[in-house]
């Protein structure tokens, strides 16, 4: 076993991969208060398509973080709930959301500065920038989604 927490085969990378998808954390957070049907999740979350929600729920189920239950009386009626393992991610998601709430303006300012630099605005000596734009497409609302 290795002590390097960031190698390709380590458990930390697995956790980072789980949380790197924006919708994984948002859906887990939306399920924190109890079971929910997909239609209710879409309404609660907002901005997520039915297709993306289905893909996210399947991915979370595959990873043992949510459980899918069909109503025996109406098999097309399903609801999802957090597993015990899924509940263990709520504290890290909450901490990450608090960080985003506290530092989201700084991140947005850095993205805007980077975008301005990449668009041809003059740069000061030593200033770094990526050609073609900055940021990863996350807006202020996406950064603060978990903090709400």
């Amino acid at each position: 076993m290795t002590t390097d927490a960031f190698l390709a085969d380590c458990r930390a990378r697995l956790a980072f991969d789980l949380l790197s998808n924006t919708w994984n954390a948002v859906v887990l957070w939306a399920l924190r208060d109890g079971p929910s049907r997909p239609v209710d999740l879409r309404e609660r979350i907002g901005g997520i398509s039915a297709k993306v929600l289905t893909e996210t729920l399947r991915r979370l189920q595959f990873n043992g973080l949510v459980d899918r239950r069909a109503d025996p009386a109406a098999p097309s009626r399903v609801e999802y709930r957090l597993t015990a393992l899924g509940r263990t991610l709520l504290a890290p998601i909450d901490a990450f959301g608090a960080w985003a709430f506290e530092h989201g303006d700084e991140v947005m300012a850095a993205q805007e500065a980077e975008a301005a630099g990449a668009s041809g605005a003059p740069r000061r000596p030593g200033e770094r920038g990526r050609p073609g734009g900055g940021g990863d497409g996350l807006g202020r609302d996406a950064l603060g989604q978990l903090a709400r």
Side-chain angles (χ1 to χ4, degrees):
M1 184 157 133
T2 180
T3 58
D4 191 341
F6 299 103
L7 294 177
D9 63 347
C10 75
R11 288 183 173 96
R13 288 270 306 263
L14 172 70
F16 294 141
D17 285 345
L18 283 171
L19 292 178
S20 68
N21 179 295
T22 301
W23 295 117
N24 285 354
V26 172
V27 170
L28 289 170
W29 192 255
L31 287 169
R32 75 189 180 283
D33 294 328
S36 189
R37 296 179 59 213
V39 67
D40 298 326
L41 282 172
R42 280 193 65 213
E43 183 178 304
R44 183 169 187 193
I45 293 169
I48 187 170
S49 69
K51 177 182 183 256
V52 171
L53 177 60
T54 298
E55 290 169 353
T56 302
L57 288 165
R58 287 179 181 159
R59 184 172 46 252
L60 295 172
Q61 184 180 2
F62 175 80
N63 284 288
L65 303 174
V66 300
D67 185 37
R68 179 184 185 273
R69 302 226 176 144
D71 184 340
S76 64
R77 181 182 167 105
V78 269
E79 64 180 24
Y80 291 86
R81 67 185 74 226
L82 291 175
T83 62
L85 181 60
R87 288 210 164 276
T88 65
L89 274 175
L90 293 177
I93 290 169
D94 187 38
F96 192 71
W99 180 91
F101 184 78
E102 184 175 337
H103 298 287
D105 289 338
E106 296 168 67
V107 172
M108 293 299 297
Q111 290 177 354
E112 290 167 8
E114 192 69 21
S119 67
R123 292 201 178 124
R124 291 175 283 172
E127 193 174 29
R128 297 184 334 189
R130 268 188 306 204
D136 61 3
L138 290 178
R140 186 177 317 275
D141 290 339
L143 282 174
Q145 177 76 28
L146 299 177
R148 290 185 213 152

